[in-house]
Amino acid sequence: MQDAAKAIEFYKKAFGAAEGGRHMTPDGKAVMHAQLKIGNSVLMLGNEFPPMCLSPKSRGGTSVTLHLYVENVDAAFDRAVKAGCTVKMPLSDQFWGDRYGQVEDPFGHQWSIATHKQDFTDEQIGANAKAAFAKM
C-alpha cells in the first residue's frame, strides 16, 4: 500500500474490517504490518517497501481478486460503493448459485463480494454456464 494507514481506515468503512494490530516502522512513519479481520477472514497489509513489496497502483494493476462471502451481499456491496469503491461488475445472480459482484478500491485492489443463494449439481452448473455464456 502506498498509504496503509489510510487503507486500514477505508477497509473499516467499506467492509466493516476490525483492526487486530498494527506495527509501525522504527521511525513511526509507515505501517510495517497490520492485521484486519473482515467477517471470519484475516487480511494482512503494510506500506510499500520497494522493490520487494509494491501496491497494485505501483505495479500498474492487480492480477488477483480478494473474495468475501457475506450474509447480505446487497448491503455489503452498497456499503463498499458508498465508501468509494468503483463498480467493476454489478451485482447479479450467477449461474453457480451466488449473488455476486466486483468492485475496485481506491488503492487498486479488486474485491468480489457474494452471498451463496442456491446449491446446484455440477451438471446444473455446466448447463447454467452454457446458457449464460450463450447470452454474451
Side-chain angles (χ1 to χ4, degrees):
M1 297 284 173
Q2 293 173 337
D3 188 343
K6 187 175 178 182
I8 291 166
E9 295 311 310
F10 179 82
Y11 296 144
K12 288 177 181 178
K13 184 177 177 183
F15 301 117
E19 188 172 342
R22 185 185 305 200
H23 301 284
M24 303 299 290
T25 55
D27 63 8
K29 293 181 181 179
V31 177
M32 188 168 54
H33 172 85
Q35 183 183 61
L36 298 179
K37 188 170 185 181
I38 301 173
N40 62 2
S41 298
V42 175
L43 174 70
M44 299 190 190
L45 60 95
N47 275 75
E48 288 189 323
F49 292 99
M52 297 175 296
C53 183
L54 298 171
S55 73
K57 295 268 183 178
S58 293
R59 291 183 182 276
T62 183
S63 61
V64 300
T65 300
L66 301 163
H67 184 74
L68 298 174
Y69 268 116
V70 297
E71 287 188 36
N72 183 337
V73 70
D74 291 274
F77 197 87
D78 185 57
R79 178 180 183 167
V81 172
K82 285 181 177 173
C85 287
T86 302
V87 175
K88 293 300 201 179
M89 179 181 176
L91 279 176
S92 62
D93 294 336
Q94 297 296 322
F95 63 85
W96 60 86
D98 287 356
R99 182 156 175 78
Y100 175 96
Q102 292 183 353
V103 296
E104 183 173 311
D105 71 34
F107 309 96
H109 293 283
Q110 292 194 8
W111 299 78
S112 58
I113 309 170
T115 296
H116 187 68
K117 294 181 67 179
Q118 189 172 0
D119 291 327
F120 292 115
T121 65
D122 288 342
E123 292 78 18
Q124 290 171 314
I125 291 172
N128 294 347
K130 186 175 181 179
F133 280 88
K135 294 177 187 176
M136 294 180 159

